[in-house]
Amino acid sequence: MAEIKKVAIMTGGGDCPSLNAVIRAVTTTAIVKYGLEVVGIRRGYHGLYHKDFISLTLDNVQEIIGEGGSILKSSNKDNLFKYPVRDENGDIVKKDGKIVYENVSHVGVQNLKDEGIDALFILGGDGTLTSGRDFARLGVNVIGIPKTIDNDLACTDYTYGFDTAIGIVSNSLDRLRTTAKSHGRIMVAEVMGRGAGWLTLHGGIAGAADAILIPEIPYDINKVAEKIKADFAKGKDFAIVAVAEGAKPKDGEAVVLKVREDSPDPIRLGGIANVVADQLEELCGNEARATILGHVQRGGSTSGHDRVLSSRYGYAAVELAMQGKFGNMVIIKGDKMTYASLEEVIGQETKQVDPDGELIKMAKALGISFGD
Ligand code: F6P
């Protein structure tokens, strides 16, 4: 095994709280425990292509454990395996109205070689880690470190960023409750998570929602209205509904805000809270309002739990690299940090909430409606 002397870190895809805590843990472990040189690649694969590298030192990372975002910045548009061709003016080339793509991954591989980088730590979700797997196939020494507030990556029990987002969702529901109570309203909060309901489920339980609607359990709006009306009949005069952006009715589809061809995630979800609020207002006869929690869920400072989890992820990633176990992603199973091959992780469907699982049963026992 070639000696590891210099390593690089990059953050790709959408940001999430905890990225900086992982950057700090990787950098500190690499420098203090192993005496390595550490480089940061700015703006994900964009920086890999354009050689936007910076030096990471203990001073750079010492105080960033709780800071949201990424000091390395991020991009979710720069898939080097499918890179938009540009003309001499820098404009994207289109043919028959469609963007023309090329594979420029060799540029990334060469830039790593030129910089003398022996191992690459990639902090990202499924899109970013799919490219990570593809770079591993080209012989790059890749270690994946899974991030996302959605907690939907296969193989790992928890991704960092998820806990912080749960806190933001539950705190938002607490705030919506006080105004809902003053006006006797139904408050519908739309929660991120793409096609998975983890964040809505955990945030909804923590925020004492009356109804939680998630993609894994298609809902009947009449059932949700019945539950709210039954509560009103008992004297309650407000309701809190947490709806996942990817939730869908039994006989319908998720609400799509936009389709963006130039994004690795072309389907942009959003807007279901307004639909649900209108329907509940109609069916229950009480005023209803929709709040889209949006990117607030990804911003701000990192929870204590996520700071510890991220530190564990970062440390475990460096240990894996020093053992030469490349082409893997660090995961947590139960309370144990371990790893899974990127080939295995990327080949799998995203992780979904089990509609018959313990968490759903418990939530139902607490009186929460899933509209099923
Ligand atoms: O995957 C994380 C996530 O925040 C999703 O929950 C959400 O659907 C998406 O990213 C939003 O992406 P963007 O920041 O590109 O709007």
Side-chain angles (χ1 to χ4, degrees):
M1 190 184 81
E3 201 187 343
I4 306 293
K5 291 189 186 139
K6 187 170 179 180
V7 298
I9 310 173
M10 56 168 271
T11 53
D15 71 340
C16 75
S18 291
L19 288 169
N20 284 329
V22 179
I23 293 169
R24 176 181 183 267
V26 170
T27 304
T28 310
T29 307
I31 294 174
V32 176
K33 186 163 179 193
Y34 292 106
L36 308 181
E37 193 180 336
V38 186
V39 162
I41 300 177
R42 286 166 31 99
R43 291 195 174 77
Y45 293 112
H46 181 91
L48 181 57
Y49 184 70
H50 292 280
K51 259 196 170 174
D52 190 357
F53 299 159
I54 57 166
S55 167
L56 286 176
T57 64
L58 295 179
D59 278 352
N60 293 146
V61 301
Q62 200 49 43
E63 290 172 21
I64 63 172
I65 192 164
E67 214 176 283
S70 166
I71 60 162
L72 296 175
K73 306 195 181 293
S74 197
S75 161
N76 65 356
K77 282 209 184 98
D78 297 279
N79 179 354
L80 302 191
F81 293 85
K82 194 180 170 203
Y83 207 61
V85 175
R86 288 178 186 271
D87 62 20
E88 55 282 1
N89 302 319
D91 296 326
I92 290 177
V93 174
K94 289 193 176 178
K95 201 175 166 200
D96 301 328
K98 297 231 175 250
I99 297 173
V100 181
Y101 294 99
E102 61 181 334
N103 181 344
V104 295
S105 55
H106 58 281
V107 178
V109 175
Q110 193 56 48
N111 287 346
L112 290 170
K113 273 196 190 133
D114 292 348
E115 190 69 22
I117 288 164
D118 304 308
L120 174 61
F121 296 99
I122 301 179
L123 284 57
D126 51 358
T128 305
L129 291 175
T130 300
S131 287
R133 175 204 60 189
D134 295 342
F135 276 112
R137 285 179 179 173
L138 296 178
V140 176
N141 288 334
V142 170
I143 301 284
I145 319 183
K147 67 95 227 197
T148 170
I149 62 165
D150 304 339
N151 198 41
D152 62 348
L153 261 181
C155 295
T156 192
D157 288 351
Y158 291 102
T159 51
Y160 50 88
F162 178 52
D163 180 71
T164 305
I166 293 171
I168 296 167
V169 173
S170 67
N171 182 267
S172 303
L173 298 191
D174 288 347
R175 288 171 186 275
L176 287 173
R177 183 173 310 100
T178 60
T179 164
K181 279 168 97 167
S182 305
H183 291 271
R185 282 174 172 165
I186 300 166
M187 291 295 193
V188 182
E190 182 171 312
V191 180
M192 280 184 167
R194 296 196 298 176
W198 296 104
L199 184 54
T200 313
L201 178 60
H202 284 251
I205 293 170
D210 300 292
I212 296 177
L213 308 179
I214 58 173
E216 294 86 344
I217 306 179
Y219 64 87
D220 175 347
I221 197 69
N222 295 299
K223 294 265 173 66
V224 183
E226 276 165 29
K227 144 83 180 162
I228 293 173
K229 284 199 279 187
D231 286 348
F232 286 173
K234 286 185 219 142
K236 194 173 174 183
D237 64 353
F238 72 93
I240 304 292
V241 178
V243 57
E245 60 181 1
K248 39 184 172 286
K250 276 197 167 130
D251 49 1
E253 291 303 322
V255 179
V256 173
L257 187 66
K258 237 183 220 172
V259 180
R260 288 288 306 259
E261 199 213 329
D262 61 343
S263 166
D265 234 347
I267 310 265
R268 203 172 289 173
L269 295 165
I272 193 164
N274 290 297
V275 176
V276 169
D278 282 352
Q279 290 174 324
L280 290 178
E281 189 166 89
E282 184 75 25
L283 292 167
C284 300
N286 277 61
E287 270 198 322
R289 292 287 188 272
T291 304
I292 297 177
L293 301 183
H295 289 80
V296 166
Q297 295 161 100
R298 290 202 336 219
S301 70
T302 304
S303 72
H305 179 85
D306 263 341
R307 295 181 197 197
V308 176
L309 182 64
S310 312
S311 301
R312 294 177 74 189
Y313 264 112
Y315 165 74
V318 177
E319 291 296 323
L320 261 192
M322 297 315 285
Q323 291 159 21
K325 292 183 176 153
F326 296 110
N328 289 307
M329 178 179 95
V330 186
I331 60 173
I332 183 163
K333 280 280 161 204
D335 195 39
K336 193 173 160 3
M337 301 308 298
T338 172
Y339 62 94
S341 113
L342 280 168
E343 292 289 346
E344 184 194 340
V345 177
I346 299 305
Q348 287 190 34
E349 295 289 310
T350 51
K351 187 179 63 185
Q352 299 259 293
V353 173
D354 175 1
D356 302 314
E358 181 265 340
L359 214 49
I360 299 288
K361 286 190 181 125
M362 178 275 287
K364 285 183 175 172
L366 297 188
I368 297 171
S369 165
F370 287 84
D372 58 340

